[in-house]
């Protein structure tokens, strides 16, 4: 078909230029001037241009929101900046994969670009939040974050990829491209988070209270957050006690988690 499903019609502009050349040839042959040419296919040209512009504008808005979420979740400008940089790495990797596969921006691809920031932020934010909840040197905090959150992130990748895998075999281009895009995002996010981000946190991440921003919150909100923090500590302590009870007392040379 003249319009290939799932891909923007790159031949549209060639079609326009050919029509312009044919119009000029007709004018030169007839001596007439002031003619024009049009086609219903030009609406696809306008739609493609609009989708390209609006998708990247929406991505910019989502990235701005993601930056605010990073800062709100950590209250640490150093950690938020480092995490935001690796969010951009994930998105850049996804775009590189789209270009490598020959994708062009059409309706489905524009939607994918719009939601890319929201999908890519997931694993990066989880690892950053876990890092922020530990204290000590940056290496120790990165190791603890990897121990606490690594399994959860890996499980999230497996379940999401399995959900996308069935879409690879659909006959409808919309579902096929959408499943492929989500798989690219989660796999890229997993690789960048578990390798690049963790390594950067261990080397460049803040230690102890470095980069922490002190914000005075209302008293009731402080009490609520304090109760949530104490509840989390209590649950972790109970979990450790239950784990030790199942495994028995530690012997000499055993490593306590």
């Amino acid at each position: 078909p003249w319009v290939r499903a799932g891909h923007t019609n790159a031949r549209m502009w060639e079609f326009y230029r050919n029509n312009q050349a044919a119009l000029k040839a007709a004018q030169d042959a007839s001596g007439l001037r002031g003619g024009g040419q049009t086609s219903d296919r030009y609406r696809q040209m306008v739609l493609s241009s609009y989708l390209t512009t609006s998708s990247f504008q929406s991505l910019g808005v989502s990235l701005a929101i993601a930056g605010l979420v990073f800062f709100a979740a950590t209250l640490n400008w150093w950690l938020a900046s480092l995490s935001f940089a690796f969010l951009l790495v994930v998105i850049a990797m996804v775009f590189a994969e789209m270009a490598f596969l020959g994708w062009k921006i059409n309706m489905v691809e524009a939607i994918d670009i719009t939601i890319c920031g929201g999908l890519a932020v997931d694993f990066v934010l989880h690892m950053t939040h876990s890092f922020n909840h530990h204290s000590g040197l940056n290496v120790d905090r990165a190791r603890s974050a990897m121990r606490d959150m690594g399994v959860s992130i890996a499980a999230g990748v497996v379940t999401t990829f399995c959900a996308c895998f069935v879409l690879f075999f659909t006959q409808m281009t919309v579902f096929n491209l959408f499943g492929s895009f989500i798989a690219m995002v989660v796999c890229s996010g997993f690789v960048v988070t578990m390798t690049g981000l963790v390594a950067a946190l261990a080397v460049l991440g803040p230690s102890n209270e470095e980069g922490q921003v002190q914000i005075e919150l209302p008293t009731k909100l402080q009490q609520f957050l304090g109760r949530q923090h104490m509840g989390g500590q209590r649950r972790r302590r109970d979990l450790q006690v239950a784990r030790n009870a199942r495994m028995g007392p530690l012997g000499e040379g055993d490593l306590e988690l």
Side-chain angles (χ1 to χ4, degrees):
W2 202 83
V3 178
R4 295 178 181 177
H7 295 78
T8 187
N9 200 333
R11 292 178 294 173
M12 194 78 73
W13 291 102
E14 181 182 357
F15 176 77
Y16 171 78
R17 288 189 293 268
N18 290 339
N19 283 356
Q20 285 293 103
L23 175 63
K24 185 177 184 303
Q27 290 177 340
D28 294 340
S30 63
L32 300 177
R33 292 293 181 269
Q37 53 91 12
T38 184
S39 172
D40 289 340
R41 295 171 179 173
Y42 293 155
R43 289 180 291 186
Q44 179 68 21
M45 293 173 61
V46 177
L47 177 62
S48 298
S49 300
Y50 172 77
L51 290 175
T52 302
T53 303
S54 61
S55 60
F56 283 101
Q57 288 176 345
S58 301
L59 177 61
V61 173
S62 65
L63 288 177
I65 296 175
L68 294 176
V69 171
F70 277 130
F71 181 76
T74 61
L75 292 180
N76 189 306
W77 66 266
W78 188 342
L79 190 55
S81 301
L82 190 61
S83 303
F84 186 78
F86 276 89
L87 172 61
L88 297 180
V89 172
V90 175
I91 295 176
M93 182 178 293
V94 174
F95 285 174
E97 293 165 358
M98 293 174 65
F100 178 78
L101 295 175
W103 288 21
K104 306 296 182 182
I105 298 178
N106 201 344
M107 185 73 71
V108 179
E109 289 83 352
I111 297 174
D112 292 340
I113 292 174
T114 301
I115 65 176
C116 183
L119 290 175
V121 75
D122 189 22
F123 298 147
V124 177
L125 182 59
H126 276 76
M127 187 62 71
T128 302
H129 187 262
S130 179
F131 178 92
N132 191 55
H133 272 265
H134 293 281
S135 59
L137 297 177
N138 49 9
V139 176
D140 298 328
R141 298 176 77 181
R143 184 181 294 113
S144 300
M146 187 71 168
R147 180 190 62 203
D148 293 347
M149 197 57 61
V151 175
S152 300
I153 292 178
V157 172
V158 172
T159 54
T160 306
F161 184 83
C162 290
C164 300
F165 183 75
V166 295
L167 297 177
F168 296 166
F169 307 100
T170 58
Q171 298 300 317
M172 295 187 65
T173 305
V174 174
F175 295 139
N176 190 284
L177 292 178
F178 193 69
S180 301
F181 176 79
I182 296 179
M184 287 191 295
V185 173
V186 296
C187 292
S188 300
F190 176 76
V191 172
V192 172
T193 300
M194 302 296 283
T195 57
L197 178 60
V198 174
L201 290 174
V203 177
L204 304 174
S207 299
N208 296 313
E209 301 297 326
E210 291 178 340
Q212 202 72 26
V213 177
Q214 301 297 331
I215 298 179
E216 291 294 333
L217 300 177
T219 305
K220 290 186 178 180
L221 181 58
Q222 289 183 7
Q223 294 175 351
F224 172 77
L225 294 177
R227 288 195 299 269
Q228 295 297 317
H229 181 67
M230 292 300 295
Q233 288 184 329
R234 189 179 302 110
R235 286 191 295 270
R236 286 192 292 270
R237 185 172 60 251
D238 293 343
L239 179 61
Q240 184 66 44
V241 172
R243 183 184 303 167
N244 292 339
R246 290 196 304 268
M247 298 176 61
L250 295 176
E252 185 179 355
D254 290 340
L255 177 63
E256 182 179 1
L257 297 178

